[in-house]
Amino acid sequence: MNRIANLFETKKNGILSVYFTAGYPALNDTASILKELEARGIDMAEIGIPFSDPMADGPVIQEAATQALRNGMSLRVLFQQLKDIRKEVRIPLIFMGYLNPIMQFGFENFCKKCTEIGIDGMIIPDLPFADYMADYKDIADRYDLKMILLIT
């Protein structure tokens, strides 16, 4: 069972999920932040994928993403940093990022890599629901990745 589904099945109230930007404040902080969040009792972590044009983010996340990109963060670096994360971190992990970098990586390739390193779900705020249903849902389902949709 997917770790997100398992969390919501076993813990009905008081679930705490924390967002942070991968590669911030320093490039190699991502894995250590995840370990510390779990050690502090966080139930689930949302790992922000930095993007150069974060149109829906506020100034704090924009600045963190800008600094993470300056630090050298990319999807390839992020996947490399997290390749062994499941040896130490058991909480559900969610990637949150914009569609453009994911499409540059290739959506199916992105999903495959997520599964390989133990990512449980995705939040892609600029992916329209109709496009998700028509073009991406079957791929995400094939890799048992939960898509968390935002409604505006």
Side-chain angles (χ1 to χ4, degrees):
M1 175 185 283
N2 180 285
R3 281 176 284 268
I4 297 170
N6 186 54
L7 172 63
F8 282 91
E9 187 69 29
T10 59
K11 189 172 182 182
K12 302 294 184 187
N13 296 304
I15 294 172
L16 179 59
S17 181
V18 171
Y19 171 91
F20 73 98
T21 302
Y24 178 85
L27 179 62
N28 294 315
D29 285 345
T30 307
S32 61
I33 289 171
L34 287 170
K35 293 172 199 172
E36 186 64 24
L37 288 173
E38 183 173 67
R40 300 283 179 146
I42 300 304
D43 298 300
M44 184 165 51
E46 300 171 28
I47 305 163
I49 301 168
F51 182 49
S52 60
D53 189 21
M55 62 187 164
D57 294 333
V60 172
I61 294 175
Q62 286 180 10
E63 179 55 36
T66 299
Q67 185 59 51
L69 291 170
R70 284 188 193 126
N71 291 344
M73 182 51 73
S74 69
L75 269 177
R76 292 189 194 289
V77 170
L78 181 56
F79 282 124
Q80 182 63 32
Q81 287 181 349
L82 298 181
K83 69 180 169 64
D84 294 322
I85 198 67
R86 286 301 176 191
K87 292 178 181 174
E88 299 182 72
V89 174
R90 290 165 299 287
I91 61 173
L93 301 176
I94 299 166
F95 273 162
M96 182 170 185
Y98 290 95
L99 187 58
N100 188 294
I102 295 168
M103 294 306 294
Q104 293 293 322
F105 197 84
F107 190 79
E108 183 150 9
N109 191 36
F110 175 79
C111 291
K112 181 178 184 227
K113 292 297 256 181
C114 284
T115 299
E116 287 173 4
I117 66 168
I119 298 299
D120 303 292
M122 306 175 278
I123 301 171
I124 307 173
D126 59 337
L127 176 59
F129 179 72
D131 292 352
Y132 168 68
M133 293 301 290
D135 300 324
Y136 303 104
K137 183 181 184 318
D138 288 342
I139 298 169
D141 288 349
R142 186 177 322 132
Y143 291 95
D144 194 26
L145 292 168
K146 303 300 180 198
M147 181 66 75
I148 300 162
L149 301 167
L150 303 177
I151 299 172
T152 60

